[in-house]
Amino acid sequence: MASFPKIISVDDHVVEPSDVWRDRLPAKFHDVGPRIVRAPVKEMTFTGGRFATAMGAPGDDGPVADWWVYEDLYRPLTRLDTAVGYSRDEIGLEGITYERMRPGSFSLPERLADMDRNHVQSALCFPTFPRFCGQTFAEARDRELALLCVRAYNDWMVEEWCGPAAVGRLIPLGIVPLWDAGLAAAEVRRNAARGVRAVCFSEIPPHLGLPSVHSDAWDPFLRACEETRTVVAMHIGSSSRMPSTSPDAPPAVGSALTFANCCFSLADWLMSGKFDRFPGLRIMYAEGQIGWIPYILERADVVWRENRGWGGIAEKVASPPSELFARHVHGCFFDDAFGLRNLDAIGERNVLYETDYPHSDSTWPRSRQVAEEQMRHLAPETVERVVRGNAIELLGLTPEGLWAGA
């Protein structure tokens, strides 16, 4: 295409700088709050959808990595956290240090430069150490410290990562204290007051030991999101369980099935009655792609029409699921030619574009070329809507596609 719209990516990632929590927590928490320690890697495996590591003592033999240490959690930075700039065949399961990652992964000036190189105007970034919905802090023992960590992350996200130096190009995405829906609602409102329009949530909360969306437990949180027009953003893996088939399945199996949790989650939401109770609520699925959506909507409509009596939804789901999807749900993709060929069955207003920088699946620095190749059959106004227009509307950006703050 001679002229292609500037991309607004609704799913990129940030590797948090080492000082995010150290600079924001009270002194009494410095020895137990999140901090970086450089140490060897004794073990690192990823099989059956589960990640396992073991840290060696300083001075031990073995490859060295930077580890986040928090209470008794030891989490290394890995090549999968930041893979751009490496050939696909060079990307392995290994621990790394900050010096061995692309600086745009954690440094603002370099991130903006990498966005320019990739034809990206604005980007929404999911966390790394807190994990995709802040579940790291929900698993902690010390709730006082965990709440301070959640707030510190959000303060850093708004004031620094998306602050004045980003000139509106980075769009804040908050996390919440998942262990308390009332506290979560308060954090949504605190961040909404300073212009934050998106918050992370788990695709399947029961996998984290939390209530499902079929219960009333999340109502305070959902009400806060509706009233503040805050989008509930769910990333693949935000239930800390990647889809797989067996304990010995190689990572490639889970990688091929990454959309599956989104599919299960969407069925939950469509049959939960939450969209009837909170008619202004909007949700989005990051990195789930979109090609699977038409069939699950078709099947959900059949179930709603034929089986809602014995299916337990007759009294709470008043509209066909496909209509609920059209009003409330956005799917996100970065490389899905099949989904784009079936865009009319999904809805051009219900899809968002992403680049997944700096992960191994990322289309950086070819996101524009990938989009042009896969969207060449679409009308220019449809391309404009998919690549940026829907994101502007959903996230409350300026007409120019920038975050304006409070």
Side-chain angles (χ1 to χ4, degrees), residues 4-70:
F4 192 80
K6 293 284 283 193
I7 295 166
I8 297 179
S9 173
V10 297
D11 170 35
D12 285 356
H13 300 266
V14 58
V15 176
E16 297 80 16
S18 61
D19 59 0
V20 168
W21 289 277
R22 184 189 65 205
D23 289 356
R24 290 168 180 80
L25 292 176
K28 68 175 182 177
F29 291 120
H30 284 182
D31 292 337
V32 290
R35 60 207 182 276
I36 286 289
V37 173
R38 185 161 291 185
V41 178
K42 288 177 59 178
E43 176 190 2
M44 184 176 296
T45 60
F46 185 44
T47 55
R50 296 193 176 276
F51 188 58
T53 61
M55 186 173 82
D60 285 353
D61 292 335
V64 172
D66 283 334
W67 296 71
W68 281 107
V69 179
Y70 169 49

Side-chain angles (χ1 to χ4, degrees), residues 19-241:
D19 59 0
V20 168
W21 289 277
R22 184 189 65 205
D23 289 356
R24 290 168 180 80
L25 292 176
K28 68 175 182 177
F29 291 120
H30 284 182
D31 292 337
V32 290
R35 60 207 182 276
I36 286 289
V37 173
R38 185 161 291 185
V41 178
K42 288 177 59 178
E43 176 190 2
M44 184 176 296
T45 60
F46 185 44
T47 55
R50 296 193 176 276
F51 188 58
T53 61
M55 186 173 82
D60 285 353
D61 292 335
V64 172
D66 283 334
W67 296 71
W68 281 107
V69 179
Y70 169 49
E71 294 190 336
D72 51 5
L73 170 67
Y74 298 87
R75 195 280 194 196
L77 299 178
T78 76
R79 177 59 61 211
L80 298 185
D81 293 326
T82 170
V84 293
Y86 290 76
S87 77
R88 300 294 169 131
D89 290 339
E90 292 176 337
I91 299 169
L93 188 63
E94 61 174 331
I96 63 170
T97 62
Y98 280 96
E99 290 83 359
R100 294 184 58 217
M101 66 176 72
R102 191 170 183 87
S105 303
F106 62 90
S107 175
L108 183 56
E110 288 86 352
R111 172 59 67 93
L112 295 178
D114 279 353
M115 290 166 61
D116 290 340
R117 181 177 174 184
N118 200 31
H119 199 67
V120 173
Q121 179 182 25
S122 303
L124 183 83
C125 296
F126 282 82
T128 297
F129 171 70
R131 312 216 300 279
F132 292 145
C133 66
Q135 60 265 52
T136 293
F137 302 122
E139 295 168 355
R141 295 187 307 272
D142 187 332
R143 293 300 198 206
E144 177 191 5
L145 172 57
L147 182 58
L148 289 172
C149 286
V150 167
R151 291 174 174 168
Y153 176 85
N154 289 333
D155 291 345
W156 169 80
M157 170 63 63
V158 173
E159 297 166 8
E160 291 196 33
W161 187 247
C162 301
V167 293
R169 296 185 61 192
L170 291 168
I171 306 162
L173 173 64
I175 60 175
V176 294
L178 292 166
W179 61 90
D180 187 310
L183 290 176
E187 188 64 9
V188 166
R189 296 184 191 281
R190 183 177 83 94
N191 292 320
R194 45 188 181 172
V196 179
R197 288 283 303 276
V199 63
C200 300
F201 192 63
S202 174
E203 60 203 350
I204 308 176
H207 286 348
L208 302 177
L210 299 170
S212 79
V213 296
H214 300 287
S215 75
D216 295 335
W218 295 108
D219 285 6
F221 165 71
L222 298 179
R223 185 172 299 107
C225 291
E226 180 187 40
E227 291 176 356
T228 61
R229 299 186 64 197
T230 298
V231 181
V232 178
M234 293 169 284
H235 195 282
I236 59 165
S238 56
S239 55
S240 295
R241 187 183 301 180

